[in-house]
């Protein structure tokens, strides 16, 4: 929420309101879509973690309950299973791996296993379809290895691959 995000800073509060207000406005104008909540993580596995509000335990048990996920509307609209939407061949993880970068959930790695994993939080909860609406949301936690450690050229290459992957996912699932 705003108090945690802004830490009492007036400028940060205004930025938070504008950020979420912009997303809310886009959701009102469009009939469906997906919000990407982009972050970085330093779990040292060189793999992008994709969060759908499902816990590590759920994914490790094979419980891809789309009704509890941030992509509930996508699963309902397409009639596909939660596992297919989250870790199947038209999932964001599949496209990221096709473009040369490890990700999970994906067909190659449908669950975190023993790896640290962030399932998404406030933005994914607020803007995803778990509780209501026709907009889905995915947390994209990019690895330190491609953001910082490997330098600018790798960061640019990864950014291009991530952008392409998001576009492929969108075109396959939302048009």
């Amino acid at each position: 929420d705003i108090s945690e995000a802004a830490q009492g800073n007036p400028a940060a509060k205004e930025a938070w309101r504008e950020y979420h207000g912009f997303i809310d406005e886009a959701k009102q104008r469009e009939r469906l879509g997906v919000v990407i909540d982009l972050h970085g993580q330093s779990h040292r596995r060189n793999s992008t973690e994709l969060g759908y509000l499902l816990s590590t335990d759920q994914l490790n048990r094979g419980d891809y309950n789309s009704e509890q996920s941030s992509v509930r509307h996508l699963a309902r609209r397409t009639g596909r299973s939660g596992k297919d939407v989250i870790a199947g061949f038209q999932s964001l993880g599949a496209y990221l791996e096709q473009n040369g970068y490890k990700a999970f959930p994906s067909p190659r790695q449908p669950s975190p296993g023993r790896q640290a994993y962030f399932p998404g939080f406030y933005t994914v909860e607020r803007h995803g379809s778990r509780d209501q609406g026709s907009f889905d949301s995915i947390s994209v936690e990019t690895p330190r290895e491609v953001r910082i450690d490997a330098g600018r050229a790798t960061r640019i290459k990864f950014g291009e691959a991530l952008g392409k992957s998001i576009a492929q996912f969108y075109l396959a699932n939302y048009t």
Side-chain angles (χ1 to χ4, degrees):
D1 69 344
I2 193 168
S3 60
E4 182 179 343
Q7 301 285 307
N9 181 300
K13 286 181 180 181
E14 183 60 26
W16 186 93
R17 284 186 196 98
E18 287 179 8
Y19 171 76
H20 289 289
F22 176 76
I23 296 170
D24 289 338
E25 183 179 324
K27 288 167 57 178
Q28 289 175 0
R29 287 184 178 186
E30 302 299 323
R31 67 177 188 90
L32 72 135
V34 60
V35 174
I36 302 297
D37 186 26
L38 183 61
H39 295 274
Q41 47 83 5
S42 296
H43 293 147
R44 298 292 187 180
R45 300 289 185 167
N46 198 17
S47 191
T48 299
E49 302 167 18
L50 304 169
Y52 301 89
L53 301 179
L54 300 178
S55 70
T56 299
D57 289 340
Q58 282 179 286
L59 295 176
N60 285 343
R61 287 194 318 266
D63 177 6
Y64 297 86
N65 186 341
S66 62
E67 292 297 308
Q68 295 176 353
S69 80
S70 60
V71 290
R72 181 181 78 162
H73 187 260
L74 175 59
R76 284 182 174 183
R77 184 173 49 78
T78 62
R80 294 180 2 230
S81 70
K83 184 170 186 180
D84 188 37
V85 167
I86 292 167
F89 291 101
Q90 288 185 312
S91 68
L92 182 54
Y95 290 114
L96 197 52
E97 293 217 340
Q98 287 172 22
N99 288 305
Y101 294 90
K102 292 191 300 181
F104 66 88
S106 66
R108 179 192 60 82
Q109 186 179 350
S111 65
R114 294 182 185 190
Q115 290 182 247
Y117 173 69
F118 187 70
F121 192 54
Y122 182 81
T123 296
V124 179
E125 288 176 344
R126 176 173 171 169
H127 298 295
S129 61
R130 181 186 66 186
D131 299 325
Q132 65 179 352
S134 60
F135 263 69
D136 299 305
S137 188
I138 302 169
S139 173
V140 177
E141 298 282 337
T142 61
R144 175 188 174 95
E145 292 85 351
V146 296
R147 288 181 297 108
I148 299 169
D149 297 345
R152 185 175 191 275
T154 297
R155 186 170 47 252
I156 290 169
K157 185 178 173 190
F158 173 76
E160 290 170 347
L162 178 60
K164 181 178 179 181
S165 301
I166 292 168
Q168 290 171 310
F169 174 74
Y170 183 86
L171 291 171
N173 293 289
Y174 296 92
T175 59

